[in-house]
Amino acid sequence: MAALSDLLPVAAVRLDVRAADWREAICAAGGLLTETGATTDSYTAEMIRNVEENGPYIVIAPGFAFAHARPSPAVHRTGLSWVRLEQPVQFGHASNDPVHLVVGLAAEDSGAHTAAMAALAKLLADPATARALQEAADPEALCAVLAGEAGETVAVGATGERGARPCGGAAAVHTILTVCGNGVGTSLFLKNTLEQVLDRWGWARHVTVEATDTISAKGKASEAVAILTSREIARTLGDVGVPVTVVEDFTSGREVDRALRATYDV
């Protein structure tokens, strides 16, 4: 599993970038992926098309867009880029606009970057670390924060009944799906946050979390107890026979905690 520092070199970081709109913001992130050898130019167009087709679901937290597309021949290797905007721009998200940070992801497959996504989700969920990233003076300072040199990060906060378990007895193992347009980016962020909450509850042994895309989710829904996703993807899924809960901030342990409580009526 690749670490965050392996996927985000200093050369893939740009701070205080000017962008007139969300397309220019994604172009900036895509350009860095191309410059550092992770993708071809066509991958940027694929990231833009993803938003055009699926809506601004990639804006997964206030001020934060996670730009990506499906694995494709345009991806040479898995990599990340980081663009902090000089002035925030609108992506059209109902609650998380405007965006001041765009992280670009190019993924060769759905698994190689899982550890890096977990690390990034934890960093962005910690207010002190998020503030340090926003205030970093240059790419080197920002990468130092991401590497943990600014101090220990705090696990995503959640409270729950430690030792309790879902209905069905000790042997029961439930599945919850986290869903995005492509199954390799934003759904992994939400999966990581949900798994941290489950761990805090003491339910990690009893609930399996699977990140997937919209097409696969419709086929897998019958095996799940619930789906957690964005508002845009929830509309795309429609009625799949299990509860679909909208999460606005994919990095918020508190919001995911509430969603989990609603799922199990805790």
Side-chain angles (χ1 to χ4, degrees), residues 48-62:
I48 292 173
R49 188 160 55 250
N50 181 37
V51 177
E52 292 173 338
E53 293 176 353
N54 296 301
Y57 79 93
I58 66 167
V59 187
I60 61 174

Side-chain angles (χ1 to χ4, degrees), residues 66-110:
F66 190 46
H68 63 287
R70 291 182 181 276
S72 75
V75 179
H76 294 315
R77 59 172 175 79
T78 299
L80 292 168
S81 63
W82 188 288
V83 174
R84 192 177 73 193
L85 299 174
E86 182 181 64
Q87 296 293 330
V89 299
Q90 300 288 329
F91 271 65
H93 195 280
S95 59
N96 291 334
D97 268 347
V99 169
H100 60 77
L101 170 63
V102 181
V103 174
L105 166 69
E108 290 182 279
D109 53 51
S110 60

